[in-house]
């Protein structure tokens, strides 16, 4: 059955097609005969005067995509689209920041429940931000501290040192993405005060502090789960002069399998991800055992995984989406 799919994402002009997971998903959907539309989240509008339950619309355009650098899409005319009458599936893929605009969009899209399938489930995305949802699995995490006060952070650092770890820290924004604004702090804490001041001025929310894990030099593994089942993994290693391994900041990928500890992590969270409607999820694990993030907003990595493993993760994702859509319509 052909589906009408509205992709909520950043401008298509900015897509780097070589490794972009959203673009890969669009190609996969198109190959199945599904009809694609693109829209900007800022065009969402909700009207309470259109009958019971209201009417959610956007300004979207039909698109076709192709893996041709510099000529990767063709777009039709933008028009007003009813996200119930005109669309079967909304694919929510715009990048964070996970701010009030993002949260408001999830509230609006949640009103489509039972009528149009939204992937990932917007209520679950809203309630499972990357560095907060992961706290449900603290038993798999390195020591982690969330706070805003310098004295609190210094106490945490002392506890890290007392536990036998070197005392070097990593400080990162609670709702950041792509490795942005992640800082390392030496054990002597010489730049900790200034760094905390910067975080306090830049963000209203607390920030996350963890011990620096030397194993990060061996890589930061991205494991993709589809409807709670492992689809594959890549090991991301830092580029020269970097400790961050995110591909967006110069890291590079290499093939890998899963450790016993990583399989345990995936088995523990898989059923919960499926129950929450989190179809496409990427988790990050350091050193084969330390869970650091659960990415649900706009996870990436499927292009590299498929390249190394000869798999088709996009097909797995669309199989799951099509099954969920069929179940919703029964």
């Amino acid at each position: 059955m052909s589906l009408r799919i509205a992709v909520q994402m950043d401008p298509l002009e900015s897509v780097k097609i070589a490794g972009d997971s959203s673009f890969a998903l669009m190609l996969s959907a198109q190959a199945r005969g599904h009809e694609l539309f693109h829209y900007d989240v800022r065009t969402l509008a909700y009207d309470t005067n259109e009958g019971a339950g209201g009417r959610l619309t956007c300004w979207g355009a039909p698109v076709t995509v192709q893996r041709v650098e510099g000529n990767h899409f063709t777009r039709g005319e933008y028009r007003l689209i009813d996200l119930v009458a005109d669309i079967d599936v909304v694919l929510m893929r715009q990048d964070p920041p996970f701010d009030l605009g993002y949260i408001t969009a999830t509230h609006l899209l949640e009103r489509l429940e039972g009528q149009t399938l939204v992937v990932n489930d917007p209520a679950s995305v809203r309630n499972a931000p990357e560095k907060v949802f992961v706290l449900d699995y603290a038993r798999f995490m390195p020591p982690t501290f969330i706070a805003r006060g310098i004295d609190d952070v210094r106490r945490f650092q002392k506890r890290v040192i007392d536990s036998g770890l070197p005392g070097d820290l990593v400080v990162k924004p609670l709702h950041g993405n792509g490795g942005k604004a992640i800082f390392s702090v030496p054990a002597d804490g010489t730049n900790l005060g200034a760094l905390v001041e910067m975080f306090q001025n830049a963000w209203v929310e607390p920030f996350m502090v963890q011990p620096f894990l030397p194993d990060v030099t061996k890589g930061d593994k991205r494991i993709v789960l589809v409807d709670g089942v492992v689809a594959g993994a890549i090991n991301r290693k830092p580029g020269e002069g970097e400790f961050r391994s995110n591909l967006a900041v110069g890291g590079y990928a290499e093939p890998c399998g899963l450790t016993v500890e990583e399989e345990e992590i995936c088995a523990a969270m898989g059923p919960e991800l499926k129950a929450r409607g989190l179809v496409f999820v990427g988790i990050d694990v350091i050193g084969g055992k330390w869970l650091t993030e659960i990415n649900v907003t706009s996870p990436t990595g499927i292009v590299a995984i498929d390249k190394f493993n000869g798999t088709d993760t996009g097909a797995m994702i669309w199989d799951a989406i099509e099954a969920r859509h069929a179940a919703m319509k029964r």
Side-chain angles (χ1 to χ4, degrees):
M1 175 184 176
S2 177
L3 298 176
R4 300 163 298 173
I5 299 163
V7 186
Q8 176 180 298
M9 63 182 287
D10 298 327
L12 283 167
E13 289 83 355
S14 64
V15 168
K16 298 178 180 178
I17 67 172
D20 190 271
S21 293
S22 300
F23 187 75
L25 286 172
M26 294 174 76
L27 282 171
S28 184
Q30 185 176 272
R32 290 174 172 235
H34 298 324
E35 187 177 3
L36 294 172
F37 297 84
H38 171 271
Y39 76 93
D40 187 316
V41 64
R42 293 172 295 182
T43 70
L44 283 176
Y46 188 78
D47 190 345
T48 63
N49 295 323
E50 294 286 345
R55 180 180 185 232
L56 184 62
T57 62
C58 69
W59 285 91
V63 294
T64 57
V65 289
Q66 57 185 357
R67 194 172 288 285
V68 178
E69 192 70 47
N71 185 29
H72 57 277
F73 73 96
T74 302
R75 180 169 52 213
E77 293 294 323
Y78 280 97
R79 63 177 186 262
L80 189 66
I81 293 176
D82 186 317
L83 289 177
V84 171
D86 302 328
I87 297 296
D88 300 301
V89 176
V90 172
L91 193 61
M92 188 167 58
R93 289 291 303 175
Q94 94 265 16
D95 290 336
F98 191 83
D99 55 14
L100 279 175
Y102 204 111
I103 290 170
T104 301
T106 67
H107 281 296
L108 293 175
L109 290 170
E110 191 179 0
R111 296 183 175 275
L112 300 175
E113 185 176 7
Q115 304 172 91
T116 300
L117 179 66
V118 183
V119 178
N120 284 326
D121 179 83
S124 293
V125 168
R126 181 178 66 247
N127 294 331
E130 274 79 350
K131 297 180 184 71
V132 178
F133 181 31
V134 71
L135 300 176
D136 288 356
Y137 302 92
R139 64 191 183 278
F140 301 119
M141 298 178 68
T144 298
F145 195 67
I146 296 174
R148 281 181 63 81
I150 181 67
D151 291 336
D152 294 324
V153 177
R154 291 196 191 281
R155 279 195 297 272
F156 173 73
Q157 186 178 38
K158 182 178 185 304
R159 193 162 76 245
V160 168
I161 295 171
D162 290 345
S163 73
L165 293 172
D168 300 331
L169 301 177
V170 171
V171 182
K172 47 191 170 182
L174 206 56
H175 299 302
N177 71 298
K180 301 182 184 73
I182 297 178
F183 297 88
S184 63
V185 179
D188 62 15
T190 51
N191 64 343
L192 184 59
L195 191 58
V196 168
E197 289 174 7
M198 186 274 290
F199 271 81
Q200 289 173 339
N201 290 329
W203 291 281
V204 297
E205 66 269 14
F207 47 86
M208 177 176 278
V209 187
Q210 294 173 323
F212 176 79
L213 301 174
D215 279 347
V216 74
T217 60
K218 302 175 184 176
D220 178 0
K221 195 171 294 185
R222 164 59 56 90
I223 306 170
V224 168
L225 296 96
V226 177
D227 235 4
V229 176
V230 174
I234 51 171
N235 191 41
R236 302 171 300 179
K237 301 192 75 172
E240 186 176 353
E242 264 286 358
F243 75 93
R244 300 172 297 172
S245 56
N246 306 72
L247 302 184
V249 293
Y252 63 94
E254 61 184 18
C256 65
L258 300 189
T259 65
V260 172
E261 292 92 342
E262 288 164 344
E263 290 176 348
E264 181 184 356
I265 292 169
C266 293
M269 69 173 59
E272 181 67 15
L273 298 178
K274 184 178 178 69
R276 286 177 177 240
L278 296 170
V279 174
F280 179 11
V281 174
I283 70 170
D284 296 337
V285 182
I286 293 175
K289 62 179 181 178
W290 296 115
L291 176 67
T292 58
E293 290 188 17
I294 304 175
N295 298 274
V296 304
T297 51
S298 183
T300 61
I302 66 173
V303 175
I305 286 173
D306 291 342
K307 174 185 175 183
F308 289 130
N309 298 338
T311 49
D312 191 347
T313 308
M316 291 181 61
I317 293 170
W318 285 112
D319 284 346
I321 291 173
E322 289 166 6
R324 282 181 175 269
H325 180 265
M328 185 184 74
K329 290 301 182 180
R330 280 201 292 265

